[in-house]
Amino acid sequence: ALRGIYLKLESTTALPLETPTALAWDGAHLWAGSWSGRLAVFDPNNPAAPLWQSVPKGIGPFRPGGLAVGDGALWSLDAAQVRILKHDPRNPSRVLWKSQDGSLPSAIAHDGKRLWVFEGSERHLYRYRADTKLGPEDSYDLSPGLTATSMQWAGKDLWLFDALNAELWRYRFEGRSFSLKSRDKLLPGT
């Protein structure tokens, strides 16, 4: 049987960033993206002002809809041009790679070894090769009703949020397959 999860708000902090659209944690810093295309890094102990911020140059319109940190890079899901970008974490305005596959990515996460992308139109989860230029190495079907808009790894568990249905899903990845561990409706005030 699936076991439910219970969330309790511990604290809130407003980030001084216009229209924030994406967040990621690298273990030391909070990365944030805004609809204006700005990327910023914050000290979680003092988020009143960004440590630094930048806007990627020479790539056209950029709207970060998701962020992930891993494999020595900052990864962004660009909602403006429906693509994945790999940024230099020391200078995020410098883009190291752009996906060209024509997919519709809706969520992105990194497990510490590989980049994972949820493709919204096909509702598939893709695991990319270590060299992302070579494309995905595996594809997984999770649930036909899931439309992931955000996801994050925690150990062997992949947590996915479906904003369309206000649901939080948790899958366990063992061996080469996923098993559903929980699926909960998030109600206002929970």
Side-chain angles (χ1 to χ4, degrees), residues 123-179:
R123 295 185 176 170
H124 288 293
L125 178 65
Y126 292 98
R127 180 174 65 187
Y128 276 74
R129 291 176 174 87
D131 182 354
T132 50
K133 295 174 188 168
L134 300 175
E137 65 180 341
D138 284 312
S139 171
Y140 302 88
D141 292 323
L142 297 180
S143 170
L146 172 62
T147 304
T149 52
S150 176
M151 60 186 190
Q152 178 66 46
W153 281 97
K156 292 183 179 183
D157 291 347
L158 179 62
W159 294 80
L160 302 104
F161 180 65
D162 179 342
L164 182 65
N165 297 302
E167 290 181 321
L168 187 62
W169 300 62
R170 180 173 57 100
Y171 282 90
R172 171 77 40 92
F173 185 64
E174 294 180 302
R176 296 183 50 88
S177 63
F178 284 93
S179 59

Side-chain angles (χ1 to χ4, degrees), residues 15-27:
L15 293 178
L17 192 64
E18 73 220 44
T19 331
T21 55
L23 292 171
W25 171 252
D26 68 6

Side-chain angles (χ1 to χ4, degrees), residues 3 37 42 52 60 69 78 82 85 104 140 169 173 182-183:
R3 293 186 1 203
F42 294 89
W52 52 261
V69 180
D78 179 8
V82 194
L85 301 175
L104 183 61
Y140 302 88
W169 300 62
F173 185 64
S182 64
R183 176 182 178 186

